[in-house]
Amino acid sequence: MAKLRVGWFTFTCSEDSSIVLIELLIKHYFEWKEKVDFRYCRPLKSKNLFDSFDVAFVEGAISNEREKQKLLEIRAKSKYLVATGACACTGYPSAQRNDFPEQLSAQIEPFIRRWDLYRKVLRVDEVVKVDDKVDGCPMIEARFIEVLDKYITQFK
Ligand code: SF4
C-alpha cells in the first residue's frame, strides 16, 4: 500500500500542535508507520525531504514575508493543505497584536522593524487555499485523526 506523503510545517506559534502530534505518535506509531510517510516533520526527525506532499499540515499564523513565501512554496508542492491549530485557522492567539491599541502598537514598533514583521498577522487562508481545518488551541486530537484518516483512505 502506498503511504500518504505528509509534510508538517510550523510558522508563528508556540508549536503546541507539534507536541500533540508527538503525543499521538505514542499511541499511533505502529499504525501510522505503515500508512504515513512523514517526509518533512522537524519535530520528528532531523533529515527532511522538501519535495512533494499529498497533504501538508500547517501550524501557526503568518507574520512576515519570509513565512508567506515559504507557505506559497509548500502550497505549490502539496495536493492538499490543512490549517492546523487555532493560530493557523483563525490567526489567534498569535495575531493578538493586530488588535493592540495605538499606544501599545507604538511600543512594539521597534520589534516589528527589527524582525521585519508584518504589522498585521495573517491566517493561513489569507495567503493560500486551505482544504481542511483542524481547529483548537492546541489542535483537537480527534479532529486531526479524522482528517488524517480521510486522506489516508483517499490516497490508499
Ligand atoms: S493554536 Fe494555541 S497552542 Fe497552537 S500554537 Fe497557537 S497558541 Fe499555541
Side-chain angles (χ1 to χ4, degrees):
M1 185 176 80
K3 291 186 185 180
L4 183 73
R5 296 161 67 97
V6 164
W8 179 275
F9 301 94
T10 301
F11 290 98
T12 299
C13 73
S14 54
E15 301 184 60
D16 300 47
S17 294
S18 292
I19 300 300
V20 171
L21 174 68
I22 301 298
E23 287 175 352
L24 283 169
L25 277 161
I26 293 168
K27 191 167 167 201
H28 295 273
Y29 177 79
F30 290 106
E31 175 200 345
W32 289 350
K33 192 169 172 278
E34 305 303 319
K35 299 176 179 174
V36 181
D37 174 10
F38 285 99
R39 300 185 74 70
Y40 193 105
C41 185
R42 293 179 67 181
L44 262 189
K45 51 190 204 167
S46 54
K47 288 187 183 160
N48 292 281
L49 290 168
F50 189 59
D51 48 6
S52 66
F53 309 99
D54 296 325
V55 189
F57 290 91
V58 174
E59 170 190 38
I62 304 303
S63 60
N64 60 45
E65 188 61 24
R66 298 178 299 282
E67 290 187 345
K68 178 182 175 183
Q69 292 307 322
K70 181 76 177 182
L71 180 57
L72 288 169
E73 252 186 277
I74 292 164
R75 178 70 265 191
K77 290 173 181 291
S78 308
K79 294 187 183 104
Y80 294 93
L81 189 142
V82 181
T84 307
C87 292
C89 294
T90 70
Y92 290 82
S94 286
Q96 58 187 295
R97 67 177 161 82
N98 292 3
D99 305 323
F100 279 2
E102 220 172 281
Q103 196 189 356
L104 205 48
S105 292
Q107 277 182 24
I108 65 167
E109 185 62 24
F111 299 99
I112 300 278
R113 291 214 192 124
R114 179 171 176 191
W115 302 109
D116 206 9
L117 302 174
Y118 287 154
R119 284 194 169 65
K120 294 280 180 195
V121 176
L122 304 172
R123 303 185 306 268
V124 167
D125 70 358
E126 289 178 286
V127 180
V128 294
K129 177 175 174 275
V130 165
D131 300 291
D132 266 302
K133 290 183 178 177
V134 177
D135 211 338
C137 179
M139 69 170 181
I140 298 163
E141 293 181 15
R143 174 69 183 145
F144 173 76
I145 290 169
E146 182 189 341
V147 170
L148 184 66
D149 280 346
K150 181 180 101 170
Y151 287 114
I152 288 172
T153 304
Q154 188 172 325
F155 281 87
K156 198 151 62 174

